[in-house]
């Protein structure tokens, strides 16, 4: 499997680390215990297209949001995760 | 380079033993690098040269300050700092892309040290002195690319990695910053920055990889 880093280009899997589901969003401070439990512990086990966090630690050290089909390993999109590169935030 | 403390004498003060240290700058490759020949006899296909005593500063834009950092870099160095995996040579330094919104300043002679750059970039970037944190290795020779191809998963073909191109990548599970310097004659020159504590390991791996072509080993104080 290869991932095309938006900063570095196409690279082998070994340069990346998988950090899991990119969908969960941190709940508001007053959202309650159930929402926090859901956010911290509960994950869907998706068979199909999934949005995932990957880290290009063996390369440019940017966080990436990868859209991947868990059945075929086909990657349909790779974009910088929020905060990856100062230019992408508040510039 | 790493600072190694060598107890030079032990003096007695009011009954307490106090070691007096003399600080000496030594390369992390001090033990591993044995100048001369290695591997196959005949014309050496690969030349491995450690470049010593350089200044290396990492410049990283603060949030929302990328364009300001670019302006300061342009004013300071007279060239546009690389925003893609490339290098930008100046009269007395090389700017090397090291990731999104960040680059290295590689130089010699104290012109672009942390202190010198700190003032200029104070409003827009965070600086980190890497001079003693990395080892710089220059790889050349007729078989340099063939040798590196055994260790690297990126395309090193001149059509892809041309003169001046850079890459943040991994070799032998070790993070490196790799870039093509100016050709020497007809031959490509690859420069490689590796973390100081991983340098010895990668050095041995490169020696193994290059042994079949014959290696000339040395070190130099000159940037190539
Ligand atoms: Zn990358």
């Amino acid at each position: 499997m290869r991932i095309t880093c938006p900063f570095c280009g196409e690279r082998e899997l070994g340069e990346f680390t998988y950090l899991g589901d990119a969908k969960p969003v941190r709940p508001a401070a007053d959202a309650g215990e159930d929402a926090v439990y859901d956010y911290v512990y509960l994950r869907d086990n998706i068979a199909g297209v999934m949005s995932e966090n990957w880290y290009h630690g063996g390369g440019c050290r940017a966080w990436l949001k990868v859209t991947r089909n868990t059945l075929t390993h086909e990657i349909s999109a790779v974009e910088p995760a929020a905060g990856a590169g100062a230019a992408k935030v508040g510039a | 380079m790493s600072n190694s403390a060598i107890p030079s004498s032990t003096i007695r003060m009011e009954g307490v033993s106090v070691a007096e240290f003399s600080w000496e700058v030594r390369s992390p490759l001090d033990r591993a690098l044995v100048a001369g020949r290695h591997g196959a006899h005949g014309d050496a296909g690969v030349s491995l040269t450690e470049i010593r005593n350089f200044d290396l500063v990492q410049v990283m834009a603060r949030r929302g300050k990328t364009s300001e950092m670019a302006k300061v870099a342009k004013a300071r160095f007279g060239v546009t700092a690389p925003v893609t995996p490339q290098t930008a040579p100046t009269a007395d330094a090389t700017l090397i892309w090291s990731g999104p919104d960040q680059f290295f300043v590689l130089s010699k002679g104290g012109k672009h040290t942390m202190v010198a750059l700190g003032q200029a970039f104070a409003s827009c970037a965070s600086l980190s002195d890497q001079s003693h944190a990395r080892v710089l290795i220059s790889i050349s020779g007729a078989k340099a690319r063939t040798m590196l191809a055994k260790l690297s998963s990126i395309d090193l073909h001149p059509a892809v990695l041309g003169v001046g191109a850079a890459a943040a990548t991994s070799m032998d599970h070790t993070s490196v910053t790799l870039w093509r310097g100016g050709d020497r004659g007809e031959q490509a020159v690859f420069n490689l920055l590796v973390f100081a504590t991983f340098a010895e390991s990668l050095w041995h791996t490169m020696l193994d990889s290059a042994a079949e072509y014959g290696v000339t080993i040395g070190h130099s104080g000159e940037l190539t």
Side-chain angles (χ1 to χ4, degrees), chain B:
Chain B
M1 311 305 119
S2 63
N3 291 315
S4 308
I6 299 161
S8 58
S9 70
T10 304
I11 49 174
R12 293 216 153 256
M13 285 174 64
E14 296 174 30
V16 183
S17 187
V18 179
E20 204 177 66
F21 292 98
S22 69
W23 295 92
E24 181 192 341
V25 176
R26 283 198 290 178
S27 160
L29 288 181
D30 204 44
R31 285 182 305 166
L33 190 154
V34 180
R37 284 294 306 257
H38 175 79
H41 298 291
D43 291 342
V46 176
S47 180
L48 289 179
T49 309
E50 187 204 358
I51 313 296
R52 294 179 174 172
N53 301 319
F54 52 84
D55 293 315
L56 183 70
V57 177
Q58 182 149 43
V59 182
M60 306 174 78
R62 298 211 191 101
R63 190 163 289 186
K65 301 283 187 181
T66 305
S67 52
E68 195 183 326
M69 179 183 79
K71 280 193 204 112
V72 172
K74 180 84 198 234
R76 166 96 198 180
F77 299 106
V79 299
T80 302
V83 294
T84 56
Q86 289 286 328
T87 57
T90 79
D92 55 13
T94 304
L95 311 185
I96 307 151
W97 186 88
S98 66
D101 308 320
Q102 52 180 276
F103 60 91
F104 283 123
V105 180
L106 175 65
S107 66
K108 263 194 83 72
K111 282 182 210 149
H112 304 294
T113 59
M114 278 289 281
V115 176
L117 296 177
Q119 284 282 332
F121 287 99
S123 66
C124 56
S126 297
L127 271 54
S128 165
D129 193 348
Q130 298 294 315
S131 308
H132 293 185
R134 313 281 174 128
V135 166
L136 175 56
I137 300 166
S138 177
I139 304 137
S140 58
K143 292 289 184 183
R145 184 161 71 93
T146 312
M147 182 278 279
L148 284 173
K150 291 198 244 174
L151 307 174
S152 175
S153 62
I154 67 171
D155 194 342
L156 301 172
H157 191 276
V160 179
L161 195 83
V163 170
T169 184
S170 293
M171 281 186 188
D172 196 33
H173 309 282
T174 304
S175 277
V176 297
T177 303
L178 177 76
W179 74 98
R180 276 272 305 273
D183 287 351
R184 198 171 294 145
E186 299 275 280
Q187 287 173 0
V189 177
F190 298 88
N191 295 303
L192 188 148
L193 280 169
V194 55
F195 289 115
T197 52
F198 289 87
E200 198 170 308
S201 165
L202 188 60
W203 179 262
H204 284 302
T205 303
M206 285 200 292
L207 282 184
D208 288 348
S209 178
E212 66 171 302
Y213 312 119
V215 194
T216 306
I217 299 165
H219 60 84
S220 163
E222 299 302 313
L223 296 173
T224 48

